[in-house]
Amino acid sequence: MTAARDERERLSVEVWRGRDEGRFETFAVPHRANQTVLDVVTWIQRHAAPALAYRFACRVGVCGSCAMTVNGRPRWTCRTHVSKVAGADRRLRIEPLRNLPRIKDLAVDLTPFFEKWQRAQGRFTPTRNRADPLAPVSPESPARKAADAGIECINCAVCHAACDVVGWDPDYLGPAALNRAWTLVNDERDGDRRGVLQAAAAGGGCHSCHTHGSCVEHCPVGLNPTAGIAGLKRRSLLDLVGSGLP
Amino acid sequence: MSPARLYLLQRATALILAPLVLVHLGLILIAVEGGLTAAEILGRTRGSVGWAAFYGLFVLAAAIHAPIGLRNVIHEHTSWRGRSLGFATIALGLLLAGLGARAVIAVVAVP
């Protein structure tokens, strides 16, 4: 193999090493067909830097654990093909997600992210037990359609990392938590929809959103948290004038 | 005051301000282009209930709208939080309302 061909078949990959203080380390990684960014990171850990810390689980875009910043944009690395992001110069720069505390290298601490889900009351409050019959829910009702539109979130925190307001205001709940709240506000089976709405509209809640739409732009599964947050704003204003949720 | 109320107040006052600002700007252009003197303008505004209502509403809406927006900017870009920020917001609103009311009175009150 000639040197020129060898160089052509390699990617130049800069990877963040360290925590808040650290540096980029550059690796030459073999470029393969249908290679994902997660494949690249895994190759580096297995062949060049065994101490490299990163997080993944399913590798097929379901678990939401492998999100990182790739060439400046937050992405799910297991479903991001190198050919889509590397460009003609075959360069990649991989960093941890923004807006979350760093643990080591590419791994961030998701505790604040999930604490915000709890603050937004992003959890289902049941009204039935296992002995009760299944709740009949019409898939055609407007509320169910609104819930269905946001229900496929995989908790990857890409929207959280992409959101400017999350970066400015540490109190802001962020698009993922508010999107979850919106699905519950529209879930007729939930036993505390008003409580969810009030939690989502409290300080740092839906009214802090600037409607920049970065969450929509970056969501890997194509959700529209901005629309859900706008819905929460609308519902909380209706609630103020007494025509909100029961 | 709850974030939802602040949000509602800021949006409602924005709705009020939008046409008032356009009329105000149009008025300035007409007055300047038309060559009206200060005395001629005061002759039209003094004792006018309509102009008093127009600019009174303008000042009230601006005095509510601006401090809420400034509070949001401070909240997002500094670590200032809590009651002191709330008091500062109210103080700014009162200051704007006071200065605005003084200006309105100056042009509509009959000497």
Side-chain angles (χ1 to χ4, degrees):
Chain A
M1 188 180 289
T2 65
R5 183 172 174 189
D6 184 54
E7 192 175 301
R8 203 168 52 243
E9 290 179 347
R10 285 187 179 266
L11 300 160
S12 176
V13 185
E14 291 177 285
V15 177
W16 179 257
R17 303 303 306 273
R19 198 172 183 178
D20 294 325
E21 299 293 322
R23 64 193 168 81
F24 283 99
E25 201 172 328
T26 305
F27 300 93
V29 180
H31 189 190
R32 297 185 175 128
N34 300 319
Q35 187 177 26
T36 67
V37 174
L38 183 62
D39 293 335
V40 168
V41 175
T42 300
W43 188 95
I44 291 170
Q45 194 207 44
R46 294 193 181 165
H47 297 93
L52 177 67
Y54 69 110
R55 189 185 282 123
F56 76 97
C58 75
R59 300 178 298 158
V60 289
V62 173
C63 74
S65 55
C66 69
M68 301 169 200
T69 306
V70 183
N71 287 1
R73 292 173 64 111
R75 293 181 180 277
W76 55 351
T77 57
C78 70
R79 297 286 297 270
T80 301
H81 279 245
V82 169
S83 57
K84 184 181 170 190
V85 289
D89 59 1
R90 299 189 181 186
R91 286 182 179 276
L92 286 177
R93 173 174 272 212
I94 306 173
E95 303 164 73
L97 283 181
R98 283 174 68 230
N99 299 338
L100 288 162
R102 295 176 176 188
I103 299 174
K104 180 176 182 287
D105 301 336
L106 302 172
V108 292
D109 182 3
L110 288 160
T111 306
F113 176 70
F114 287 111
E115 280 176 350
K116 287 179 175 180
W117 279 57
Q118 293 304 316
R119 254 181 64 209
Q121 206 174 311
R123 57 186 177 274
F124 183 69
T125 303
T127 49
R128 297 175 178 227
N129 61 40
R130 67 180 66 186
D132 293 326
L134 288 174
V137 178
S138 167
E140 298 304 318
S141 73
R144 190 61 237 169
K145 282 182 175 173
D148 284 344
I151 208 75
E152 298 292 347
C153 174
I154 59 170
N155 317 350
C156 64
V158 161
C159 59
H160 197 80
C163 177
D164 292 322
V165 185
V166 171
W168 298 331
D169 181 0
D171 297 336
Y172 180 47
L173 294 172
L178 292 170
N179 177 72
R180 176 63 180 143
W182 176 240
T183 63
L184 291 169
V185 162
N186 284 290
D187 189 339
E188 61 189 79
R189 301 165 304 157
D190 191 278
D192 190 19
R193 295 156 70 195
R194 189 138 194 267
V196 176
L197 183 60
Q198 286 171 344
C206 59
H207 297 293
S208 298
C209 171
H210 282 240
T211 324
H212 286 171
S214 293
C215 51
V216 187
E217 170 74 18
H218 291 87
C219 177
V221 290
L223 303 186
N224 187 345
T226 304
I229 295 168
L232 286 170
K233 289 176 180 175
R234 211 164 44 239
R235 293 295 276 272
S236 79
L237 295 186
L238 288 172
D239 195 51
L240 270 186
V241 295
S243 55
L245 294 162
Chain B
M1 190 177 283
S2 74
R5 280 183 203 283
L6 290 172
Y7 179 87
L8 178 62
L9 273 177
Q10 210 201 10
R11 267 56 182 185
T13 50
L15 273 176
I16 294 168
L17 279 169
L20 298 187
V21 167
L22 288 176
V23 171
H24 175 65
L25 291 175
L27 203 66
I28 291 170
L29 288 175
I30 290 167
V32 171
E33 293 295 321
L36 286 178
T37 63
E40 286 168 329
I41 292 169
L42 287 174
R44 289 164 167 79
T45 59
R46 278 180 175 157
S48 164
V49 177
W51 286 122
F54 179 89
Y55 278 110
L57 185 62
F58 195 122
V59 165
L60 186 66
I64 294 169
H65 184 85
I68 297 172
L70 194 60
R71 177 186 173 278
N72 290 343
V73 173
I74 289 170
H75 188 93
E76 281 172 3
H77 294 283
T78 74
S79 55
W80 192 2
R81 299 278 189 282
R83 295 184 72 174
S84 63
L85 179 57
F87 286 131
T89 305
I90 293 167
L92 178 65
L94 292 174
L95 178 70
L96 290 176
L99 292 173
R102 187 164 161 253
V104 174
I105 289 166
V107 294
V108 300
V110 180

